[in-house]
Amino acid sequence: MVNGVRNDLLGCGMDSRMKRLEDRVSTYLARMGVEARRSPDGLYLFKYGSTVVMMNLLEDELGTYVRCASTLLKDFELSCDLMARLLRLNAEVRFGAFLLLGDDTISFAATILGDDLDYEELRQTLEYVARTSDEYDDILQSQFGGKRASDILREGDGLS
């Protein structure tokens, strides 16, 4: 039972939907030549330029989802100018959004539907998130300071 709806009424059990999505994502990543590492909490992680791309598989009673995200900056000075810049950037990007997370990390993320995920959709989403993050982490760092994912990795605090 999920939010009052029986799994069998949803067409299939949630575990089997997630298993199918995990298998599909693993196959697609291998086809792309992406060597992603799985974190203990199930995230797929890989480096791209000066950023690290994370992919999280999610589900609810309506379906499955793939969230592609990347850390742009940490340890920056939070300001109204920075927040205004992120909001303006959200109006400029074609897909996805710049986010301020609870731990004061700036990320860029896009979420796509997972139940009928196809190869091109995942490839283009990962590529767009990676390219956008890799471009804007340098720009935002030069304007507002902070550390990019690659700076944090060099310090030994992340993906090696």
Side-chain angles (χ1 to χ4, degrees):
M1 189 78 99
V2 176
N3 290 337
V5 179
R6 288 189 351 233
N7 286 344
D8 59 330
L9 295 178
L10 297 172
C12 63
M14 292 178 80
D15 289 338
S16 63
R17 285 191 317 195
M18 283 300 285
K19 176 70 173 121
R20 279 197 309 271
L21 181 59
E22 286 177 5
D23 291 346
R24 184 175 294 155
V25 165
S26 294
T27 299
Y28 290 168
L29 289 174
R31 185 172 158 193
M32 288 178 225
V34 172
E35 294 183 29
R37 189 188 79 170
R38 290 293 297 266
S39 70
D41 55 353
L43 294 174
Y44 294 84
L45 305 164
F46 64 94
K47 289 191 251 184
Y48 182 95
S50 58
T51 192
V52 174
V53 178
M54 300 160 278
M55 193 169 39
N56 192 12
L57 307 184
L58 309 164
E59 69 179 325
D60 64 16
E61 67 277 2
L62 299 176
T64 59
Y65 310 88
V66 179
R67 178 171 295 145
C68 303
S70 186
T71 297
L72 276 76
L73 289 178
K74 287 185 76 103
D75 300 331
F76 54 87
E77 186 68 34
L78 191 59
S79 68
C80 290
D81 287 342
L82 173 57
M83 295 300 96
R85 177 75 170 126
L86 294 176
L87 288 172
R88 287 187 186 100
L89 287 173
N90 279 335
E92 293 175 17
V93 295
R94 292 178 300 248
F95 178 61
F98 290 90
L99 310 169
L100 176 64
L101 303 178
D103 66 351
D104 287 340
T105 298
I106 296 173
S107 292
F108 182 77
T111 303
I112 54 178
L113 300 173
D115 286 346
D116 296 313
L117 182 69
D118 66 47
Y119 173 80
E120 273 305 306
E121 183 179 22
L122 181 62
R123 186 192 64 74
Q124 289 180 19
T125 301
L126 279 175
E127 187 175 299
Y128 188 72
V129 168
R131 277 194 345 258
T132 301
S133 299
D134 190 42
E135 177 182 351
Y136 283 102
D137 65 352
D138 295 324
I139 293 169
L140 292 171
Q141 183 187 45
S142 72
Q143 295 173 346
F144 301 102
K147 296 177 184 174
R148 300 168 303 157
S150 61
D151 302 325
I152 295 166
L153 292 175
R154 255 186 253 116
E155 295 173 359
D157 295 335
L159 181 69
S160 52

